[in-house]
Amino acid sequence: MADASKLRIAARATASKAAQAATVRASPHPHRPGSPASDTVTPAGQVLRVLRRIGPATRSELSRQTGFSLSAVNRVVGELLGCALLRDRPELTVGGVVGRPQIPLDLNAEAYFTVGVHVDEGRLRCVAGDLRGRALDRLVLDVPDTAQEALPVVGSALRRFRLAFPARCALWVGIVGDGRSDRRADRGCGPDWRDVADGAWPAAIPVPVTIAPHVEAMAARELQALELTGRPGPSSYLYLHVDEPFGAAWIVDGRIPVPRSGAGTIGHLATGSDVPCPCGRVGCLEVTVADRTLLATAVRDGALGPDAATRGIGALYAAAAAGAGHAAALLDSRADVVGRAVAMMRDIVNPDVVAVGGRGLVAYRPGREVLARSYARASALPPLPLTFSSFGERIGDAGALGASLSAVYTDPLGALRRRAARPSYDPAADRFCG
């Protein structure tokens, strides 16, 4: 009897330890949005990235691409198939080969959706996308005054997308914004998400959230688009967003070095203009080439009517397209200033690729040529042609969707565990596939 009692006590202790371990696994320490547990890409993440880059592939090909053994690939693939991140593509099986034919694998782009959120032209844009980052639907909403008020708006958009895609599982939300209150107040760049308390996130949004700096998110998507063309990834890549908010991101070996104090800015580069800046200086890049500066100049010089401020920068683009010489000259002058700033950054960093993006480069196409010529004249280094954004005016949407997928392509299995551990997560409502 004594031995039996000891056995029962030992069994209860073992069960208790197992339960505690399961609780730790199911409820990891809550991560503040924008602070991933690790930026190290796991083997599962590497498999997803290969399939995103090259498309459907067999296990043997995945082994060659990743450098993992076939047994390791089989183990990872089994886990990813089990949580519906991958799917078999038997219709792509190649016949007539010696031995047992291998069934190709592909990303399961129909099982999940993510939501990217960003502020564009004074409106809050919520974009639903699939596992490849392709946009499925968009909602354009008014921007609340504070991030605390914006949180339930994002949660409402997520619920509306759930109704629109009942066969898909809500996976993640990515929010991009520059997060600097001084610029937010002056430039209308959106809420400062740092104002939101940690506990408010899961109460409003039932899936995990990643917050990424605005320009860095767009740079990452541009680099990914470059790699999808089949070109080898550059070791050093410089992306400049020449629109509001202005910014630059330098990617080295696939990573964006960001100091603990936050990303830097090119907005206060000196241009020699006489436009006063809220920082107290004069001639900073961002205020010199800002939409409101160009509109104010156009109204003062009579190129546009007094209602131009309410019509926005589109009024200046329309006037230039209609042949208004002064409107075109203002836009060309802005492109020239921006080109010199791009050259300055290029000469400092000396990257393998220099890419630029922004709505203005799409809305006023002649500005590209002016910018490129100004950049080429101002750079002191050997010629390096500019690469223009592959997303055009949708670069903000693309960057936000990229932020919503960053955790998935870094640690997909860990991302699903964090998702299931969300306090407000409801498997029945979410149609959890994991």
Side-chain angles (χ1 to χ4, degrees):
M1 291 293 294
D3 290 342
S5 178
K6 290 178 181 179
L7 287 173
R8 283 194 297 272
I9 293 172
R12 283 196 297 270
T14 302
S16 176
K17 289 180 181 179
Q20 291 173 5
T23 301
V24 170
R25 287 193 298 269
S27 303
H29 181 74
H31 298 286
R32 182 164 178 77
S35 302
S38 172
D39 61 357
T40 301
V41 182
T42 64
Q46 293 185 48
V47 167
L48 287 190
R49 291 182 181 212
V50 168
L51 291 172
R52 179 177 62 181
R53 188 178 76 249
I54 69 174
T58 64
R59 288 165 171 80
S60 296
E61 190 169 4
L62 288 173
S63 177
R64 289 192 297 271
Q65 291 282 340
T66 60
F68 301 149
S69 67
L70 190 56
S71 61
V73 167
N74 283 332
R75 183 169 57 254
V76 170
V77 163
E79 293 177 313
L80 293 173
L81 285 170
C83 58
L85 287 169
L86 296 185
R87 59 173 177 154
D88 287 317
R89 297 290 303 275
E91 73 278 11
L92 300 180
T93 302
V94 178
V97 296
V98 178
R100 182 179 179 182
Q102 292 193 37
I103 298 176
L105 299 152
D106 197 7
L107 297 176
N108 190 354
E110 299 176 357
Y112 296 94
F113 75 90
T114 64
V115 177
V117 180
H118 69 110
V119 175
D120 183 40
E121 295 186 305
R123 301 280 280 172
L124 186 70
R125 292 178 64 88
C126 300
V127 188
D130 65 14
L131 202 58
R132 292 188 182 278
R134 297 176 298 202
L136 301 170
D137 197 4
R138 295 176 179 85
L139 292 172
V140 182
L141 309 164
D142 292 331
V143 182
D145 293 332
T146 67
Q148 195 71 42
E149 295 171 333
L151 218 55
V153 175
V154 175
S156 175
L158 178 64
R159 289 192 294 273
R160 290 169 66 177
F161 286 135
R162 275 175 163 168
L163 294 175
F165 308 111
R168 293 176 181 267
C169 311
L171 180 56
W172 211 274
V173 169
I175 298 176
V176 297
D178 78 349
R180 278 172 285 185
S181 57
D182 61 326
R183 289 183 56 183
R184 183 187 73 249
D186 187 58
R187 316 291 293 153
C189 292
D192 189 340
W193 301 101
R194 298 172 302 179
D195 294 340
V196 179
D198 290 1
W201 291 95
I205 302 176
V207 298
V209 180
T210 291
I211 298 179
H214 193 97
V215 176
E216 282 77 357
M218 292 185 286
R221 282 291 276 162
E222 290 287 1
L223 180 58
Q224 177 196 327
L226 178 66
E227 293 173 345
L228 290 178
T229 64
R231 295 170 57 183
S235 61
S236 179
Y237 178 91
L238 178 65
Y239 173 78
L240 296 105
H241 191 66
V242 292
D243 208 337
E244 299 181 13
F246 277 76
W250 181 29
I251 302 178
V252 181
D253 293 331
R255 299 188 181 216
I256 302 176
V258 178
R260 290 177 182 239
S261 58
T265 177
I266 63 170
H268 297 285
L269 290 178
T271 66
S273 78
D274 58 358
V275 181
C277 180
C279 73
R281 289 172 286 188
V282 175
C284 293
L285 173 65
E286 192 169 55
V287 293
T288 299
V289 299
D291 291 351
R292 71 180 186 283
T293 301
L294 266 67
L295 287 172
T297 303
V299 171
R300 183 194 64 201
D301 296 347
L304 293 177
D307 64 338
T310 59
R311 293 162 58 197
I313 193 64
L316 194 61
Y317 294 144
H326 188 64
L330 281 173
L331 293 170
D332 288 344
S333 176
R334 172 164 76 172
D336 177 70
V337 172
V338 170
R340 286 187 274 120
V342 172
M344 185 185 304
M345 288 297 300
R346 183 256 169 142
D347 287 0
I348 294 172
V349 175
N350 192 19
D352 300 324
V353 175
V354 180
V356 292
R359 288 188 312 274
L361 299 175
V362 178
Y364 181 65
R365 303 287 292 193
R368 286 190 178 203
E369 298 176 9
V370 176
L371 192 155
R373 287 197 301 268
S374 174
Y375 155 80
R377 287 195 305 266
S379 178
L381 296 177
L384 179 66
L386 289 178
T387 298
F388 289 95
S389 170
S390 57
F391 294 101
E393 61 184 7
R394 296 297 188 190
I395 178 59
D397 291 1
L401 285 176
S404 72
L405 288 166
S406 60
V408 179
Y409 278 93
T410 300
D411 181 8
L413 302 176
L416 287 176
R417 286 193 295 269
R418 286 177 60 183
R419 173 177 172 273
R422 199 74 165 173
S424 52
Y425 168 69
D426 182 356
D430 199 43
R431 296 175 56 85
F432 178 47
C433 298

